[in-house]
Amino acid sequence: MGETFTLNVLTNQNGVKKENLHENLEGDELMFYQSLRPNLELLQMKPKLQTIHNILDYSKSKR
């Protein structure tokens, strides 16, 4: 079962996520993760800043 905890603002969240991931995985799970990782990285979205602003402006207009 996973542990719950709160990260503070100064914590490097990327480092924490990677460390916890590798600590909790063993053998087969690690191989499974390594095989999926390239596909998961392809799914990661990196929208342009203008796109984010457009979405926020639209949502504000609907309030």
Side-chain angles (χ1 to χ4, degrees):
M1 172 126 328
E3 296 180 16
T4 58
F5 58 92
T6 303
L7 298 175
N8 64 26
V9 177
L10 301 176
T11 302
N12 181 354
Q13 294 179 3
N14 291 331
V16 171
K17 288 179 186 176
K18 288 179 184 177
E19 289 173 11
N20 287 341
L21 177 67
H22 292 293
E23 289 175 4
N24 295 332
L25 296 180
E26 298 176 5
D28 292 338
E29 294 171 334
L30 186 58
M31 287 180 8
F32 179 70
Y33 170 74
Q34 294 294 340
S35 68
L36 287 180
R37 187 171 64 175
N39 293 333
L40 293 174
E41 289 175 357
L42 290 174
L43 293 174
Q44 185 176 3
M45 302 295 283
K46 295 180 182 176
K48 295 179 183 174
L49 188 58
Q50 183 62 37
T51 304
I52 295 170
H53 286 295
N54 289 342
I55 293 169
L56 291 174
D57 291 341
Y58 180 80
S59 67
K60 288 177 185 176
S61 70
K62 293 295 179 180
R63 288 184 186 176

